[in-house]
Amino acid sequence: MPMILLSGNEAIALGAYEAGAAAAFGYPGTPSTEILVSLVQYAPEGVYCEWSPNEKVALEAAAGAAIAGARSLVTMKCVGLNVAADPLMTLAYTGVVGGMVVVVADDPGQHSSQTEQDTRQYARLAKIPVLEPANSRECRDFMMIAFELSEQHRCPVLVRTTTCVSHSRSLVTPGRRREPNAVKFVKNDPQFVPLPLWGRKLRAKVEERLDAQGAAASADERLNLIIAGRDTRLGIVSSGAPALHARELFPDNPMLKLGWAYPFPDELIRRFAASVDKLLVIEEVDPILEEHIRSLGIACTGKELVPRCGELTPARIYEVREKLAGRDPALPAPVAEAADLPGRPPILCPGCPHRGLFLALTKFDVIVSGDIGCYSLGVFPPLSRTDTILCMGAGFTVAHGMQKAGEKRKIVGVVGDSTFFHSGITGLLDVVYNKGATKLVVVDNRITAMTGHQEHPGTGVTLMGEPTKSASIEAIARACGIERIHIINPYEQGRLIAIFQEEFANDEPALIISRAPCPLHVKQRISPQRRIDHDACKNFRACLKCGCPAIESQGNAKPTINPFICMGCSLCQSLCKFDAIAPVS
Ligand code: SF4
Ligand code: SF4
């Protein structure tokens, strides 16, 4: 078949399809989201795909599919594996029947993540293999191998990508789809019921499996290979995208490129180390290989030269090379920023409903505990109405903890609709059950917006495009015991402010659902664009307080509204005391 140009994520989807995966589960998270978005194209050929409410649910569902004999896939971003860690640890003991691959997309450089986690650490903790593709071809090929290894060793296999690998494009040769496995669950209590009496036996088997996998990794030249080089004074050990960059920067040096880095291929590492004078380990984020190589009694250079934090770009590896050679890296100076370039901080889109919520909250001296989503941008000026962000679902719980600790100010917990279903419900339950007084806000824009508009349990549509039941946030809250519930259009500033005033005056928990669709998703103006009448405008500049990027102001000139991007939300109009802002007729 002719080669095709695919992103790493698309190639992972292709690999899963060709490997005969029958079911795939995931929760959207950059940079992993496009895997399921791409895989769902194969639904007509029998690949079931779903967005699960969260990563733990997704991993458990994939485990169920694999225990019943199917090949299954689960996808998430790095922090998602924190949520899914509980079932992963046990699944590493109980194992699977059909192959199960857990694809986790790490984000070195934190382009879109709150932490810079190294998923290889989870492989060590769970004692399961981790494969690290370096480009799209390897993404496709390694997926096929990962399913094979999973069935051979009867355990889940992690595939770790990074933002660079997931989002860059390279050529892939597609193949034919393998016949999916027959599905029939076979009862086997000592394997699938890890009560301590059986769990202890499973634990011992995990160690035996690790030894077998380490030996297999040493011998598997599809994944781990020694690339010859004539300058054997230095050998490079690397994995993932940095291995490709390092190959370009050290073209004459031998390289041990590890696609299956854990369990460690000790025999191969020893053999490679014996063939060179010195070793340099180039790995992104944590010094996992480096520490292990040292534990084998082999000297190497690593994180004393290779940065621990951030993405290992070619420029940074070049710097390592020059420092190692005792030369001044003398990188070309970055292009100077023109003094008059406007700043472009991340900002809510024009017409974003979240702006209405944060604008209303600027009227109150309260603490706002935020969460992960587009609404995280409420932290930036001029709104500056978010004070803490911890993780998915923590908008409610962090607020509750502050209140219970005795914080005197009123506290508002904010989560999005997708986050509410992901892990916000338990926080709400905590507030009600433990008699909290937190004001709970769900910014409900009817979609998982930040990752590119994915469906969720409240949207009434599945990833497969089928209509389904739409979970009601207010009904769930009522069932949990919340009695004070307001549903409000956030563009109605007067009403929203009045609701907050009413709720801040009492000590009961309340739920405020700030509900309006993401205009970028529905691709519709809310109402006609606004324009500023410069005869009526006194240049009081109150409209700028809503931080809408459609409002432009050069120096001290009177602001104008860019009609091409104004969504007609009317928030700026509500701020103008001089009635200078009105809909375009
Ligand atoms: S994508 Fe939608 S929800 Fe996100 S900032 Fe833009 S308008 Fe708001
Ligand atoms: S109406 Fe005003 S605040 Fe709303 S999108 Fe247009 S310029 Fe921005």
Side-chain angles (χ1 to χ4, degrees), residues 248-276:
E248 288 179 14
L249 285 154
F250 295 90
D252 297 330
N253 298 93
M255 172 182 276
L256 173 57
K257 180 182 173 301
L258 294 173
W260 181 1
Y262 183 84
F264 301 109
D266 289 351
E267 191 275 321
L268 186 63
I269 292 171
R270 285 199 178 94
R271 187 152 35 99
F272 180 69
S275 70
V276 295

Side-chain angles (χ1 to χ4, degrees), residues 348-349 352-354 374 445 449 453 518-520:
L348 295 166
C349 303
C352 177
H354 304 330
C374 287
N445 59 6
H453 302 121
C518 163
L520 210 67

Side-chain angles (χ1 to χ4, degrees), residues 20-31:
F25 308 81
Y27 184 79
T30 309

